Amino acid sequence: MKTSRIAQETARVASNSEIVTRRTTRSFAASVRGFAAATADVDAATDSVGRQKSFSNDDASSLSSADSATIFDIEDATTLKLTPRKRKRGLESPATTTTTTSSRTAIKTSPQKAGTATLNGKSTRIKKGRRQPAKRSINEDGEVEIHPPANWEEIYSAVQEMRKRVLAPVDTMGCENIAEDKRSPRDRRFQTLIALMLSSQTKDTTNAIAMRRLQTELPSPGFTLETILAVEPTRLNELIWVVGFHNNKTRYIKAAAEILRDQYNGDIPDTVEGLMSLPGVGPKMAYLCMSAAWGRTVGIGVDVHVHRITNLWGWHKTRAPEETRAALEAWLPREKWHEINHLLVGFGQTICLPVGRRCEECTLSTRGLCPGAVVNKSKTVRAVKKEVLELEGEDKPATAQVIRDVVVKEEGMEAPPS
């Protein structure tokens, strides 16, 4: 029969050639298991019955003479290569095995819980305060009333005490204290205005350097309106080059000097509107200049420190310094309008820094008055290592467990001493 000859030739070719292993799929694996089970059944039946009977015709005789191990499909050859026999352990294998498993458990302190810090050589606890902003209400007459934050006086007094202990740059190099004492009141007012114009986007220490150069390097009679009008813009730019945006400020100062000469009889304006009409003068400079130069406080000068710190305390939620000024003037007593700028600028320069606030040195954080206090937190990672020792003949393996606590320092957080 032709089918028998083809099967024999196929089996002969398969046995003499190397079959490329194919990718195992679920259906293929199922067919392999079925073929293995069928082969086992055939082998068992052959052993029990003996040699099978021969067919009467020649084709049947030739088909039965082929052994089951010789005749197999091409898929069967692949199966044999994909299912190697599992290696048995010999007598030389060790009788003892060690299994090591590791696990890591993170233990992190809650941000709301109190941390520890060292204040004046003593260990203190830092805790976050609760926001107590100013509140609006309608009185019987239908008018809006603003109620100040409940704890603002306690916060204000604590900051005043801290400011007495530390000298800030604004205390000696602020715009109020930088004018020359030997000058006339008109010249002192002019120098105060120029100092405020130079202070924009500039630190007090840098501003003091530029002002000192103007006071010492300008030709006789020194730092006055007439000298600024006469000096060349390039020379003026050289004298103030250390401040931010010195090119723009050179143009602003020259233009403002001409306006003061032509419109204000050589003096500075005595109103907020007049000061803000000068190029390079904004609301903060105008209100501060009115207080420092003319001695009249008509508004609060709000800079980045006042805006940032009062929002940090939770007194209000404002997005710009002018919004902060309006919010503060609505409830803050008028006698504190002048001093609050100087108070909070120095506080922001020494303790409540824009980056890296020193809450461990701040009295507000230890009393729980500041909602923005940074609580010292540490992240403890517990590394657990288990070693399981398996012995032959033992029902329960011996277990050795090693626990190690690792303190990880996180950004903005201090790790406790080891």
Side-chain angles (χ1 to χ4, degrees), residues 24-206:
T24 304
T25 60
R26 294 181 179 179
S27 59
F28 177 65
S31 63
V32 168
R33 289 193 297 269
F35 174 77
T39 304
D41 295 339
V42 171
D43 292 341
T46 302
D47 293 338
S48 60
V49 176
R51 187 182 301 274
Q52 297 180 357
K53 295 182 180 180
S54 301
F55 291 100
S56 58
N57 51 45
D58 295 336
D59 294 337
S61 300
S62 60
L63 182 60
S64 61
S65 61
D67 189 18
S68 61
T70 306
I71 302 175
F72 55 91
D73 190 25
I74 204 102
E75 297 281 351
D76 303 334
T78 306
T79 304
L80 296 177
K81 288 183 176 295
L82 285 177
T83 57
R85 293 177 61 86
K86 186 176 181 180
R87 183 179 62 86
K88 294 181 178 180
R89 288 186 181 273
L91 297 177
E92 70 277 6
S93 299
T96 302
T97 60
T98 302
T99 304
T100 303
T101 60
S102 299
S103 62
R104 298 173 68 86
T105 305
I107 304 174
K108 185 175 181 180
T109 59
S110 173
Q112 301 297 331
K113 294 183 179 180
T116 59
T118 302
L119 182 62
N120 297 330
K122 298 180 180 179
S123 179
T124 57
R125 298 178 65 83
I126 296 179
K127 48 188 176 181
K128 283 179 174 289
R130 183 170 57 88
R131 283 178 51 87
Q132 300 183 30
K135 298 180 179 180
R136 292 174 175 264
S137 65
I138 307 297
N139 59 16
E140 297 178 354
D141 299 332
E143 298 177 354
V144 178
E145 292 183 353
I146 305 298
H147 302 277
N151 58 353
W152 79 270
E153 290 180 308
E154 187 178 0
I155 293 176
Y156 201 91
S157 300
V159 174
Q160 286 179 323
E161 293 297 326
M162 285 186 285
R163 288 283 282 111
K164 293 178 182 179
R165 298 196 298 261
V166 182
L167 189 66
V170 70
D171 297 333
T172 57
M173 292 174 282
C175 297
E176 297 183 8
N177 308 317
I178 208 168
E180 295 176 289
D181 295 334
K182 62 182 181 180
R183 294 291 177 179
S184 64
R186 189 198 72 146
D187 292 339
R188 286 179 55 83
R189 288 192 292 267
F190 177 72
Q191 290 189 12
T192 301
L193 174 63
I194 298 301
L196 287 167
M197 295 177 67
L198 295 177
S199 66
S200 176
Q201 303 293 322
T202 304
K203 294 182 178 180
D204 287 336
T205 53
T206 305

Side-chain angles (χ1 to χ4, degrees), residues 185-375:
R186 189 198 72 146
D187 292 339
R188 286 179 55 83
R189 288 192 292 267
F190 177 72
Q191 290 189 12
T192 301
L193 174 63
I194 298 301
L196 287 167
M197 295 177 67
L198 295 177
S199 66
S200 176
Q201 303 293 322
T202 304
K203 294 182 178 180
D204 287 336
T205 53
T206 305
N207 190 36
I209 294 174
M211 286 294 296
R212 186 60 180 170
R213 293 196 65 184
L214 290 174
Q215 293 169 353
T216 58
E217 298 184 26
L218 283 173
S220 182
F223 190 5
T224 62
L225 174 64
E226 291 75 19
T227 308
I228 294 296
L229 288 170
V231 71
E232 292 294 329
T234 54
R235 176 56 180 163
L236 179 60
N237 195 18
E238 292 176 359
L239 295 175
I240 66 170
W241 70 272
V242 293
V243 302
F245 305 99
H246 56 87
N247 293 326
N248 295 336
K249 292 176 181 179
T250 299
R251 295 194 301 269
Y252 296 155
I253 291 174
K254 293 292 289 186
E258 294 178 359
I259 294 175
L260 296 180
R261 178 196 60 190
D262 300 336
Q263 301 180 17
Y264 295 95
N265 196 24
D267 207 343
I268 67 173
D270 59 353
T271 62
V272 173
E273 293 77 16
L275 289 169
M276 292 179 60
S277 66
L278 300 176
V281 178
K284 179 201 76 171
M285 302 178 193
Y287 288 111
L288 291 177
C289 190
M290 287 296 298
S291 298
W294 292 107
R296 300 201 306 267
T297 302
V298 295
I300 300 176
V302 177
D303 66 347
V304 291
H305 291 289
V306 179
H307 173 67
R308 174 179 59 86
I309 293 174
T310 54
N311 275 276
L312 198 64
W313 288 341
W315 285 0
H316 42 247
K317 281 187 178 181
T318 55
R319 295 174 294 180
E322 273 301 284
E323 295 182 13
T324 302
R325 180 183 66 83
L328 288 174
E329 291 178 356
W331 60 266
L332 187 68
R334 197 178 185 89
E335 61 269 14
K336 299 185 182 300
W337 285 12
H338 172 67
E339 67 180 28
I340 189 173
N341 179 273
H342 185 270
L343 181 72
L344 296 190
V345 168
F347 183 64
Q349 290 176 342
T350 56
I351 297 178
C352 193
L353 304 175
V355 179
R357 301 195 299 270
R358 300 173 181 174
C359 296
E360 67 278 2
E361 302 177 9
C362 182
T363 307
L364 302 180
S365 61
T366 58
R367 295 184 184 178
L369 298 175
C370 181
V374 178
V375 179

